[in-house]
Amino acid sequence: MTTETTPASTTSWNGWGDPGLAKDLPLAVRALLPTILGRIRRPEPPVALSDVIAAASSLTEEDRADLVAIVGADAVRTDDGSRIRHSGGRSTPDLLRLRAAHQAAPDAVVSPRDHDEVVRVLGFASEHDIAVIPFGGGTSVVGALAPQRGAHRTVISLDVRRLSGLLHFDEVSGEARFLAGTTGPEAERLLTAHGFELGHFPQSFLYATLGGFASARSSGQNSAGNGRFDAMVTALRVATPTGEVVLGGAPGSAAGPDLMRLFLGAEGTLGVITELSVRVHPLPEARRYEGWTFPDFETGADALRRVAQLGTGPTVIRLSDEAETGIGLAQHGRVGKALAKGCSAITVFEGDAAVVAERQELTARVLAAAGGRSTGPAPAEEWARGRFGAPYLRDALLDHGAFCETLETATTWADLPRLKTAVTDAIRSGFAEQNSKSLILCHISHIYPTGAALYFTIIGNLRGDVLEEWSLIKAGVNDAILANGGTISHHHGVGRDHAPWFAREVGEGGIRILRAVKDQLDPSGIMNPGALLPASASAERS
């Protein structure tokens, strides 16, 4: 698996990743779009960064001087370029806003060097009514990085990327302790020097930080074998406006509720994760790839269920539905095959050579018995080579005037068909109400013994106020998810976009628990106001 990285300073300010890797739509996809979506109007080109007009910073000179005294002059930036680069995440609505001439932005970007500086910045912000938006790799797709000040007089972006590095490595225990601003590629580079890896590869891997993985309860593409990121975390050090919290350490404990889990998924609303210990494992000795095809999605999903419940051990296993399979083939110029019916799946196996061979054989038996046919290693190898490139295709679609966004959920195997149908119908009817056509792609991205995650990609031809029209469509989809046994998020998180539905999912009792914890750790409500908790959270009651 590739572990190349791109420095944060070279990432696109209004698109995904490295601008040098951006590419135009494949000719076959461009040819297909009008037949699926109708005539698409080419949009105006994005505004250049030098032409963006950001709202003037409301940070006072006294605020700036006090922050400089904590972190140093170079670590407090109020120039428009720095502020705009921290004005949101990388959802499609975020990127559409970043293409406009007038943009909201935090009033300053503050970059502490260590845990103690983070504690001091949060304490100062709490005392002086300054909202704080924690910022890692900037890859949130649920509105978690919007520079909203809530009820506070000003807002800063707290960039943690200077908190980077390996603090301790324990080969015997298979555990490593990192600073939370360490990116995925840097963590892999540091572990490779010891013959180990973390093996967590979400699509944001090249840019996201370990603290971000923990804060959003990330689930990587290798989760079938390596587990979700929150399951990898063994200890945390957290800075809050009222001081530090240190949790975890033992491999298992019955010493009361697992308080560490409160911070895994809290999305910076309770504090800032500054250090974390994670489970690691030796670099794989062998890696094997195999693609599969199934006559339809129902057959393929049942095959994946059998794999999950028998525990045959693939590191990666994914199933694309008929539409996604066809578009994937067309994207690679295989138009003839794209017109054929069927669903494609890929499997990857990593680890000790003998164990890998055994797991691949066991999985192949299960998939074949369930109606699958092997297509050899090439499809899975092709997926692995392009696994981090899909967001560039999203940007290219936006450049051509097509709306493209993703959403995900999860449910039990028993409810999976009903949920997939309900979400698909909600998307299609939502676009129809906007007099727009849509193309809906779906795949099973993560599997468990009791259920699986569904990942949808939506391409449409919205012609009016795109942000307003999409918000109406997304609201209907979120309603359908909760009405049909799904979770509002499997791995993207809650942010601000899902906060009202999150409250419905966990109920009044769950929200009371989170508000009570927030009132103790963040009594002024400065931490990421509006994210996770609904707008009536303690931040606006203080």
Side-chain angles (χ1 to χ4, degrees), residues 230-244:
D230 52 355
M232 298 180 180
V233 177
T234 58
L236 290 176
R237 189 182 189 191
V238 185
T240 81
T242 54
E244 77 167 14

Side-chain angles (χ1 to χ4, degrees), residues 89-450:
R90 287 298 177 266
S91 69
T92 294
D94 284 332
L95 296 188
L96 290 174
R97 283 187 283 265
L98 285 171
R99 290 171 176 237
H102 295 266
Q103 296 178 19
D107 297 302
V109 178
V110 180
S111 305
R113 290 171 298 185
D114 55 35
H115 170 84
D116 291 339
E117 286 189 355
V118 176
V119 171
R120 292 174 64 194
V121 168
L122 297 186
F124 170 81
S126 183
E127 293 173 6
H128 292 82
D129 197 28
I130 300 173
V132 177
I133 313 296
F135 193 101
T139 58
S140 167
V141 291
V142 290
L145 302 180
Q148 292 189 12
R149 65 185 63 185
H152 308 285
R153 63 182 180 86
T154 189
V155 57
I156 63 172
S157 175
L158 187 78
D159 192 319
V160 301
R161 283 174 289 187
R162 292 176 73 191
L163 279 71
S164 179
L166 177 63
L167 296 174
H168 180 69
F169 175 72
D170 181 347
E171 180 175 355
V172 174
S173 304
E175 187 177 60
R177 189 166 187 84
F178 286 96
L179 289 167
T182 309
T183 64
E186 179 65 2
E188 294 295 350
R189 185 188 69 80
L190 292 167
L191 289 171
T192 296
H194 296 276
F196 277 69
E197 71 168 4
L198 179 60
H200 183 70
F201 298 107
Q203 201 161 73
S204 61
F205 165 74
L206 292 176
Y207 308 101
T209 63
L210 302 192
F213 293 158
S215 294
R217 294 180 72 186
S218 171
S219 190
Q221 296 164 346
N222 288 29
S223 68
N226 298 338
R228 298 170 58 94
F229 193 79
D230 52 355
M232 298 180 180
V233 177
T234 58
L236 290 176
R237 189 182 189 191
V238 185
T240 81
T242 54
E244 77 167 14
V245 177
V246 179
L247 297 166
S253 173
D258 189 350
L259 298 178
M260 187 171 67
R261 302 296 152 185
L262 282 170
F263 295 94
L264 299 174
E267 300 182 36
T269 58
L270 303 178
V272 177
I273 297 172
T274 59
E275 299 175 14
L276 67 167
S277 296
V278 290
R279 170 174 48 83
V280 298
H281 50 269
L283 288 167
E285 178 182 82
R287 184 175 290 118
R288 290 194 179 192
Y289 302 89
E290 189 167 13
W292 290 81
T293 185
F294 295 89
D296 51 53
F297 187 78
E298 182 180 1
T299 302
D302 184 63
L304 266 63
R305 176 189 63 80
R306 298 188 194 188
V307 167
Q309 292 178 346
L310 290 174
T312 60
T315 307
V316 180
I317 185 166
R318 297 158 68 88
L319 171 74
S320 294
D321 71 359
E322 293 87 345
E324 186 170 283
T325 297
I327 289 295
L329 290 169
Q331 185 180 342
H332 292 93
R334 302 169 194 164
V335 179
K337 290 186 177 181
L339 297 176
K341 295 182 179 179
C343 295
S344 62
I346 60 100
T347 58
V348 183
F349 302 83
E350 297 178 339
D352 175 84
V355 173
V356 162
E358 180 183 12
R359 288 177 175 174
Q360 184 180 24
E361 182 180 353
L362 287 171
T363 302
R365 289 180 194 170
V366 174
L367 295 179
R373 179 176 60 84
S374 174
T375 54
E381 291 173 342
E382 190 173 77
W383 168 83
R385 285 192 295 271
R387 67 191 308 193
F388 301 124
Y392 294 107
L393 180 61
R394 184 267 309 264
D395 289 4
L397 285 164
L398 295 180
D399 289 340
H400 281 266
F403 178 87
C404 180
E405 182 59 302
T406 62
L407 59 89
E408 42 75 51
T409 181
T411 192
T412 62
W413 290 111
D415 283 343
L416 198 74
R418 173 168 65 99
L419 180 62
K420 183 176 186 290
T421 298
V423 172
T424 301
D425 289 347
I427 296 168
R428 185 174 290 118
S429 63
F431 274 88
E433 289 174 6
Q434 304 298 332
N435 297 313
S436 175
K437 296 181 179 180
S438 60
L439 173 64
I440 305 163
L441 317 177
C442 181
H443 65 262
I444 291 178
S445 59
H446 304 79
I447 63 171
Y448 305 89
T450 59

Side-chain angles (χ1 to χ4, degrees), residues 129 149-152 269-270 503 508-527 529-542:
D129 197 28
R149 65 185 63 185
H152 308 285
T269 58
L270 303 178
E508 182 183 348
I511 294 298
R512 282 205 315 270
I513 292 170
L514 287 174
R515 284 181 174 165
V517 175
K518 186 171 177 67
D519 284 343
Q520 291 299 310
L521 299 177
D522 178 25
S524 299
I526 63 164
M527 299 304 303
L532 192 65
L533 291 167
S536 59
S538 59
E540 298 194 7
R541 303 196 320 268
S542 59

